[in-house]
């Protein structure tokens, strides 16, 4: 997932939208276009754009898998998927070409595709345009929506795996850009580790890049080398492409907690588990809703979010690696049960890095507070800049 704006700009934008999250609430939408068929109704072609290659062992590979699920569910619907589409005018050009070719449902899957997707949707009110992960201001147009999962939930479970495996009490986290979703993931990972090993620390390092902070293998190689030299023995990441970091960790004889996609084949010895996207059911349901002429006013005609309590979180835990013990699996199972009951890792008391109480005991952060998070919790080493 990439972003084409600065973090400050992103937070300002998020504030402007008024946090119109609609995980379980009725969507706030504008009226449907007058006359004619509903947006996307009877679609025979679906367009999907992704920012990276479909074989990146990460974010964009998961998008490809979602596209494949649509093909399997709707063999008579043509899926036009395009990869490595930058977050610039190329995104608009590609989506317009897909629409010109007959697509009446468009998935724009990178964070930085959001503004372009909204412009394309405005120009084509008969086309359903959905965005992956963005927050859309209300009132939301009748042909627009966004969707995402509670990513931090399985990441918290991955933190448990890390906390149980570490012997140095030093965990590494390589991240791209400190958007709120990234910070929430890092914090959830550390909190999961602390639940097993209270003295554990997560050393968080970013991958500043002039070309592509979400996937810059040379920068990733430098960052993972620096972490390993500090005694880190479990590594995870928030990057679009994950191969470089996982292979370096495996070669060093350390453990990996995966992210975005199943990359266990890259770390046959050190893979502990992790989290990955399972977009298929959600993509298929969005397409079904649109084809049936029911998109406008649906849960997808909003800022749709799903968590484990809803039973529909598209971000799921990966399979365990060979070294995970039955005792550790029991800890993960217990935490999973809590998450399914509606519990959140961001339940007080929680403290910021400097020891400031941020969440009092007996209270929890709301979804909108989590998605605007701008700090690290106690136990994370690094800065949010």
């Amino acid at each position: 997932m990439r972003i084409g704006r600065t973090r400050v700009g992103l937070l300002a934008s998020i504030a402007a939208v008024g946090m119109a999250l609609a995980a379980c609430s009725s969507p706030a939408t504008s009226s449907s276009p007058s006359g004619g068929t509903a947006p996307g109704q009877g679609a025979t072609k679906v367009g999907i754009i992704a920012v990276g290659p479909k074989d990146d062992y990460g974010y964009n590979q998961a998008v490809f898998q979602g596209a494949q699920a649509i093909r399997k569910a709707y063999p008579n619907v043509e899926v036009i998927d395009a990869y490595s589409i930058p977050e610039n005018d190329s995104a608009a050009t590609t989506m317009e070409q897909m629409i010109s070719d007959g697509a009446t449902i468009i998935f724009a899957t990178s964070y930085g595709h959001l503004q372009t997707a909204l412009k394309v949707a405005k120009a084509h009110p008969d086309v359903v345009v959905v965005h992956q992960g963005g927050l859309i201001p209300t009132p939301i147009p009748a042909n627009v929506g966004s969707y995402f999962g509670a990513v931090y939930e399985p990441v918290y479970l991955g933190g448990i795996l890390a906390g149980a495996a570490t012997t140095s009490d030093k965990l590494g986290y390589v991240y791209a850009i400190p958007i709120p979703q990234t910070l929430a993931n890092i914090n959830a990972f550390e909190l999961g580790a602390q639940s097993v090993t209270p003295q554990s620390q997560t050393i968080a390092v970013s991958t500043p890049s002039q070309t592509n902070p979400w996937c810059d293998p040379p920068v990733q190689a430098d960052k993972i080398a620096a972490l390993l030299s500090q005694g880190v023995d479990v590594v995870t990441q928030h990057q679009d492409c994950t191969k470089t970091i996982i292979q370096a960790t495996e070669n060093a004889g350390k453990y990996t907690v995966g992210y975005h996609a199943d990359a266990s084949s890259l770390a046959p010895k050190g893979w502990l588990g992790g989290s990955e996207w399972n977009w298929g059911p959600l993509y298929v349901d969005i397409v079904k809703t649109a084809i049936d002429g029911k998109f406008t006013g649906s849960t997808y005609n909003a800022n749709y979010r799903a968590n484990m309590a809803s039973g529909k979180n598209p971000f799921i835990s990966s399979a365990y690696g060979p070294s995970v013990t039955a005792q550790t699996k029991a800890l993960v199972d217990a935490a999973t049960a809590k998450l399914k009951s509606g519990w959140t890792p961001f339940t007080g008391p929680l403290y910021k890095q400097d020891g400031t109480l941020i969440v009092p005991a007996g209270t929890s952060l709301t979804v909108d507070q989590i998605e605007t998070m701008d700090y690290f919790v106690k136990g994370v080493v690094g800065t949010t800049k």
Side-chain angles (χ1 to χ4, degrees):
M1 178 172 60
R2 300 185 66 192
I3 182 172
R5 294 176 285 169
T6 64
R7 179 168 170 263
V8 172
L10 171 67
L11 294 176
S13 177
I14 289 173
V17 304
M19 299 312 303
L21 298 176
C24 299
S25 60
S26 299
T29 66
S30 61
S31 60
S32 303
S34 58
T37 59
Q41 184 172 3
T44 58
K45 293 185 179 180
V46 175
I48 300 175
I49 65 169
V51 74
K54 64 182 180 183
D55 56 353
D56 63 356
Y57 289 96
Y59 188 79
N60 300 290
Q61 181 170 309
V63 170
F64 172 70
Q65 291 166 346
Q68 293 292 79
I70 297 174
R71 290 188 173 100
K72 182 177 180 180
Y74 287 95
N76 294 325
V77 172
E78 181 181 353
V79 179
I80 311 168
D81 45 348
Y83 298 87
S84 299
I85 306 300
E87 296 167 330
N88 54 29
D89 291 344
S90 297
T93 301
T94 304
M95 285 187 278
E96 289 287 356
Q97 184 60 53
M98 289 174 171
I99 293 171
S100 179
D101 290 341
T104 53
I105 303 173
I106 297 289
F107 288 75
T109 63
S110 186
Y111 206 104
H113 289 152
L114 175 59
Q115 297 307 317
T116 302
L118 294 177
K119 292 178 182 178
V120 170
K122 184 176 182 179
H124 302 278
D126 57 328
V127 176
V128 165
V129 178
V130 287
H131 183 265
Q132 191 160 294
L135 293 172
I136 302 171
T138 55
I140 296 176
N143 63 326
V144 174
S146 81
Y147 58 91
F148 216 56
V151 179
Y152 50 87
E153 291 181 336
V155 169
Y156 174 85
L157 302 177
I160 293 176
L161 297 177
T166 184
T167 57
S168 68
D169 299 335
K170 292 182 179 179
L171 316 174
Y173 208 121
V174 185
Y175 70 95
I177 298 175
I179 61 174
Q181 290 168 350
T182 301
L183 301 183
N185 285 348
I186 295 171
N187 289 335
F189 183 78
E190 169 61 16
L191 293 171
Q194 287 180 13
S195 73
V196 181
T197 306
Q199 71 276 16
S200 67
Q201 291 185 321
T202 296
I203 303 174
V205 295
S206 63
T207 51
S209 170
Q210 297 300 315
T211 55
N212 183 356
W214 293 104
C215 181
D216 191 330
V219 174
Q220 292 175 346
D222 290 342
K223 295 299 181 180
I224 186 59
L227 281 175
L228 294 171
S229 71
Q230 297 178 61
V232 163
D233 58 2
V234 184
V235 175
T236 190
Q237 59 183 297
H238 190 137
Q239 301 277 318
D240 271 8
C241 58
T242 66
K243 184 176 182 179
T244 299
I245 293 170
I246 293 175
Q247 286 187 326
T249 303
E250 181 76 359
N251 291 339
K254 307 302 181 184
Y255 292 112
T256 286
V257 174
Y259 188 66
H260 277 325
D262 179 6
S264 57
S265 62
L266 299 175
K269 295 181 179 178
W271 181 267
L272 293 176
S275 43
E276 61 192 67
W277 292 107
N278 178 29
W279 285 124
L282 181 56
Y283 280 17
V284 169
D285 199 44
I286 290 172
V287 169
K288 180 181 186 304
T289 301
I291 288 177
D292 291 348
K294 299 177 179 178
F295 179 84
T296 301
S298 73
T299 55
Y300 303 126
N301 182 206
N303 290 303
Y304 174 81
R305 297 294 185 271
N307 58 18
M308 291 177 69
S310 73
K312 298 180 179 179
N313 192 350
F315 205 55
I316 62 174
S317 292
S318 302
Y320 292 121
S323 66
V324 179
T325 66
Q327 183 180 9
T328 299
K329 292 178 182 178
L331 294 172
V332 173
D333 288 345
T336 299
K338 290 174 63 179
L339 289 166
K340 288 182 177 179
S341 73
W343 177 82
T344 171
F346 301 110
T347 297
L350 290 181
Y351 300 86
K352 290 185 176 180
Q353 277 177 311
D354 62 2
T356 303
L357 181 65
I358 185 66
V359 183
T363 62
S364 302
L365 294 182
T366 62
V367 173
D368 55 341
Q369 289 173 323
I370 294 170
E371 293 216 12
T372 54
M373 189 173 285
D374 62 355
Y375 54 84
F376 282 144
V377 299
K378 188 176 181 180
V380 177
V381 178
T383 69
T384 60
K385 305 300 181 183

